[in-house]
Amino acid sequence: MKTDLMGLSITPQALLYIGLDVAIALVLLIVMRWVFGLWTRVDGTDQLSGKDNFAFGISVASSLMALSIVLWSAAEKASSGDYLAQSLQMLVYGVVGILLIKVGRFAHDRLVLDELDKREQILNRNVSIALVDGASAIAVAIMLRSILLWTQGFDIHSGIALISGFIVALAVMLLITRLMERRFAQDNQNDSMQDVLVGGQVALAIQHGGLLLGTAFSVSAASQLLEYHPTAYVSNLLSWLVLAMLFTLLTIALAWIAKRLVLPGINMVREVDHQHNVGLASIEMALTIGMALLLLGLVS
């Protein structure tokens, strides 16, 4: 039996496997929440509703959002005529996505935000750290999406390409963070950006989070110009790195120009770094992400 809906032919078998995919997605979201609880080693329910820990909630929400982005990509990526094979791909990509998101967060903690204990800060209700943590998780998921859609097939070669792109994504995030830290130190008498974030500077967290998300969309734009070669592992890695950095630096330059045109006469260093102006930091975040999305649209 076949049903026509909005011009689309839907069979009972198709509906069955769509339901299976939705069930897989829901189970994976539960698993992500469980994995987050294992990482923090605390009672998540108590943190969220008993202690009303907003920072913990932001961190959990970003994990769920990141996984949802990966599942969206997995559902779009699955292209087998066999519905059961599609569901299997959805499950595999979802599990791999959970692992890579956690690895990305671990790497971000140990390599990028290496001067602080993120877990301790979040449990101590530090919203600034939670915002940066959330932005990094979602940024990793956006970059994973671009890599998933870039690869072809469902084999060992696509897996290696996924890992290669993931390494490049982390490298770009690390480099961009170090550049921002250097800029911050130059403008603030050698103060440490990470120390200021520990102090609860929300405006700086929003500014930095916008840069991380802009970087993610810049890497996604770079993927539009890369041709996938299944066995060219080194070439794929170097091409990703060069184009990702090029598009990220171009995004930063365009965002700098946009800020000068949209916010003329405003000293962003004074407003964000010194006066903690959350409103202007939000505008800067929007402009950075906006320029990255513009580049993504132009090359798509």
Side-chain angles (χ1 to χ4, degrees):
M1 176 180 176
K2 184 181 293 185
T3 302
D4 289 331
L5 179 64
M6 302 285 290
L8 299 176
S9 297
I10 300 178
T11 65
Q13 185 184 27
L15 289 174
L16 174 63
Y17 283 110
I18 288 173
L20 179 59
D21 286 345
V22 172
I24 289 172
L26 292 174
V27 169
L28 288 172
L29 287 170
I30 295 171
V31 170
M32 174 60 92
R33 166 73 194 282
W34 175 72
V35 169
F36 192 91
L38 287 180
W39 168 73
T40 54
R41 301 188 299 277
V42 297
D43 185 345
T45 301
D46 181 56
Q47 289 288 327
L48 293 170
S49 63
K51 298 180 179 178
D52 295 340
N53 188 339
F54 301 151
F56 189 86
I58 291 170
S59 196
V60 173
S62 64
S63 293
L64 298 177
M65 176 63 75
L67 179 59
S68 297
I69 292 171
V70 173
L71 292 175
W72 166 34
S73 311
E76 192 173 345
K77 172 77 173 177
S79 58
S80 171
D82 185 339
Y83 290 117
L84 185 58
Q86 288 188 26
S87 297
L88 177 61
Q89 289 185 35
M90 178 96 168
L91 177 62
V92 171
Y93 281 129
V95 171
V96 171
I98 290 176
L99 293 175
L100 290 180
I101 288 170
K102 298 311 294 182
V103 170
R105 275 189 141 156
F106 179 82
H108 191 261
D109 297 347
R110 295 296 181 268
L111 300 176
V112 182
L113 297 181
D114 58 332
E115 298 176 9
L116 56 90
D117 185 336
K118 187 189 74 176
R119 175 183 176 277
E120 179 184 357
Q121 292 298 322
I122 289 177
L123 293 180
N124 287 334
R125 304 170 182 266
N126 192 323
V127 172
S128 299
I129 299 299
L131 288 173
V132 174
D133 174 56
S136 70
I138 294 172
V140 167
I142 292 171
M143 289 185 277
L144 284 176
R145 169 177 165 76
S146 67
I147 300 166
L148 278 173
L149 298 182
W150 170 67
T151 60
Q152 298 174 12
F154 184 65
D155 52 26
I156 185 63
H157 299 302
S158 62
I160 293 174
L162 177 63
I163 299 299
S164 299
F166 178 70
I167 292 172
V168 168
L170 292 178
V172 174
M173 287 178 61
L174 174 61
L175 182 57
I176 293 303
T177 299
R178 292 294 177 261
L179 289 175
M180 184 172 179
E181 286 180 327
R182 182 176 180 181
R183 190 281 305 168
F184 185 86
Q186 290 175 342
D187 292 337
N188 294 275
Q189 299 179 337
N190 289 323
D191 275 354
S192 168
M193 187 182 80
Q194 294 188 40
D195 287 345
V196 174
L197 287 172
V198 169
Q201 225 277 46
V202 174
L204 181 62
I206 292 174
Q207 182 189 59
H208 184 49
L211 183 58
L212 293 177
L213 293 173
T215 297
F217 286 117
S218 298
V219 173
S220 298
S223 70
Q224 301 296 317
L225 301 181
L226 287 172
E227 185 176 352
Y228 176 65
H229 299 287
T231 58
Y233 305 134
V234 176
S235 175
N236 287 336
L237 184 64
L238 293 178
S239 297
W240 265 104
L241 183 59
V242 171
L243 281 178
M245 281 305 307
L246 177 63
F247 273 83
T248 299
L249 294 175
L250 183 56
T251 295
I252 293 173
L254 290 174
W256 183 86
I257 294 172
K259 282 186 290 183
R260 295 301 179 275
L261 296 175
V262 176
L263 302 171
I266 294 179
N267 187 325
M268 294 300 290
V269 172
R270 182 184 67 239
E271 294 293 336
V272 176
D273 295 355
H274 304 159
Q275 298 182 8
H276 307 181
N277 192 322
V278 171
L280 283 173
S282 300
I283 294 174
E284 182 173 356
M285 177 184 70
L287 291 175
T288 302
I289 296 174
M291 292 300 100
L293 290 174
L294 175 62
L295 287 177
L296 178 57
L298 289 174
V299 300
S300 296

